[in-house]
Amino acid sequence: MPDDTQPTSGPSPEQIAERAERFRTDFTALRSQIGEVIVGQDTVVEGVLTALFADGHALLEGVPGIGKTLLVRTLSDATSLDFGRVQFTPDLMPADITGTTVVREEHDPSGNTSRAFVFEPGPVFCQILLADEINRATPKTQSALLEAMAERRVTAGGSTHPLPDPFFVLATQNPIEQEGTYPLPEAQLDRFMLKLIVRMPRREELTEILGRTTGRVNKDASAVLDAEQLRAHRELVRGVASAPEITDYAVRAVLATHPAGVESDGRFATPMASRYVRLGASPRAAQSIVLAGKVRALLDGRTALSVDDIRWAALPALRHRLVLNFDAQADGIEPDAIVENLIETLPREAPA
């Protein structure tokens, strides 16, 4: 008799190639639809889509008025995903995000009244959540997203409620030195796969923005991706191969941010990290680098990760996970400078 317990074979090379081509087609179509509304910001758009396809979350930072919120709304229009928005303010409470348990009365035909505790879901129960100006809420309220972002669920009133699949958080924030803002706790920052800096448009881009927004006709994005397609693409991303030496390069990139201290002997730390970093990146950083790199590999027509993919993903995956010391503040050193130095100096091959 045949052995029915034998594992089935995986997809053939032709099937993988077909799925990879479909991935590139959908990614390009989504990027094109966003480009119908958003002028420039190519690096930011690619980073947002990378986080979306890699099953992560993204944090957009920039001064007011440069299109952060518009980018998130446009992404929602370009997908068939359920959209939710929370405007973060100092008086926002955690239950305003996650939902709360309320007492609901019900009346039967005989006139009897019964009461029951019912969970009323908050705006976090959606597929794309815009956390607008997230650093204007207190750390207590910001922490309401911790479980949702990491575990895709919400616990309230002793009960656990799963979030929709897919679930993607796009948060915007103004620079920390702006008045009326609170620094995001390290635990909250670590939940974001990538942090993307939205910069001021160039002269020609600003001219195009004025042409699009002050004329009679405003362009809108059309939906080109649905939840089922996105789930399939996310599965494909995780199937991209990573050779041991490539995975080790990502590990060494994260360890290079750790100076000698309680959690590390500092053996892999770069001189710049040893001087200016108080606390290095977490294991989530390595996961983020690898998954973002796998998206880039697929876009490049490859089904295996490379060192260049890791190097490309390192800056947006690490910049928000470094806690700098007083020497960095005194010398005006920013996390980007430390990560860029790391990328330039980290050997491609592990030392013997």
Side-chain angles (χ1 to χ4, degrees):
M1 293 179 62
D3 185 3
D4 293 335
T5 64
Q6 292 296 324
T8 58
S9 59
S12 65
E14 292 77 13
Q15 291 173 322
I16 294 176
E18 181 182 350
R19 291 176 62 187
E21 180 60 31
R22 193 156 55 242
F23 176 94
R24 290 192 295 274
T25 299
D26 287 347
F27 191 104
T28 302
L30 192 53
R31 182 167 51 190
S32 176
Q33 284 300 314
I34 292 174
E36 291 292 319
V37 179
I38 302 298
V39 178
Q41 305 293 356
D42 295 341
T43 301
V44 175
V45 171
E46 185 160 350
V48 167
L49 296 185
T50 296
L52 175 68
F53 280 82
D55 195 13
H57 309 290
L59 175 63
L60 306 181
E61 180 177 286
V63 297
I66 55 177
K68 302 186 298 297
T69 304
L70 178 61
L71 171 57
V72 183
R73 290 206 315 267
T74 303
L75 176 63
S76 172
D77 292 339
T79 59
S80 300
L81 304 180
D82 183 30
F83 177 70
R85 174 175 180 169
V86 177
Q87 188 67 49
F88 280 67
T89 56
D91 60 346
L92 191 72
M93 298 300 292
D96 296 330
I97 301 172
T98 59
T100 187
T101 301
V102 298
V103 178
R104 179 174 295 172
E105 291 188 353
E106 294 184 357
H107 304 277
D108 60 24
S110 61
N112 296 321
T113 300
S114 61
R115 295 179 178 86
F117 289 101
V118 178
F119 178 71
E120 289 287 349
V124 74
F125 285 84
C126 61
Q127 293 175 312
I128 294 183
L129 176 67
L130 167 57
D132 203 14
E133 295 190 306
I134 188 173
N135 61 332
R136 292 203 178 277
T138 62
K140 175 183 179 181
T141 300
Q142 293 173 15
S143 66
L145 286 175
L146 293 179
E147 181 184 21
M149 294 176 66
E151 303 175 39
R152 270 59 171 186
R153 65 183 187 182
V154 166
T155 300
S159 299
T160 299
H161 309 274
L163 292 170
D165 180 30
F167 175 67
F168 179 52
V169 175
L170 260 172
T172 69
Q173 72 169 11
N174 297 327
I176 296 300
E177 59 268 17
Q178 293 281 324
E179 292 186 7
T181 59
Y182 300 83
L184 267 66
E186 285 75 16
Q188 177 70 72
L189 286 170
D190 199 35
R191 261 62 173 189
F192 290 101
M193 171 180 279
L194 305 176
K195 178 182 177 181
L196 307 165
I197 307 300
V198 187
R199 306 192 186 280
M200 183 69 185
R202 298 191 299 269
R203 180 181 180 182
E204 60 275 14
E205 292 173 343
L206 187 53
T207 301
E208 176 66 18
I209 290 172
L210 290 177
R212 292 189 184 187
T213 58
T214 62
R216 292 180 178 274
V217 179
N218 289 330
K219 295 184 178 180
D220 295 317
S222 301
V224 294
L225 189 75
D226 59 28
E228 183 178 355
Q229 291 171 301
L230 181 57
R231 284 191 289 266
H233 291 324
R234 286 179 169 182
E235 181 182 354
L236 177 65
V237 167
R238 290 185 174 271
V240 172
S242 179
E245 60 271 18
I246 305 301
T247 301
D248 181 66
Y249 184 84
V251 170
R252 287 188 289 117
V254 171
L255 293 179
T257 68
H258 285 261
V262 176
E263 80 285 347
S264 173
D265 59 8
R267 180 162 61 98
F268 293 98
T270 64
M272 198 169 184
S274 294
R275 180 176 179 182
Y276 293 120
V277 176
R278 180 162 61 90
L279 183 63
S282 71
R284 278 199 188 97
Q287 297 167 351
S288 298
I289 290 174
V290 169
L291 286 171
K294 287 184 175 185
V295 171
R296 185 179 186 273
L298 286 172
L299 290 176
D300 199 36
R302 293 176 284 108
T303 56
L305 202 60
S306 73
V307 168
D308 288 333
D309 299 326
I310 301 298
R311 290 163 60 90
W312 173 83
L315 180 58
L318 291 176
R319 60 163 46 118
H320 57 298
R321 291 183 162 102
L322 304 185
V323 180
L324 306 188
N325 57 27
F326 291 113
D327 289 341
Q329 298 178 25
D331 293 346
I333 300 298
E334 298 291 336
D336 281 23
I338 296 172
V339 178
E340 289 167 354
N341 173 261
L342 183 157
I343 296 170
E344 293 171 359
T345 59
L346 186 67
R348 287 176 173 263
E349 298 182 0

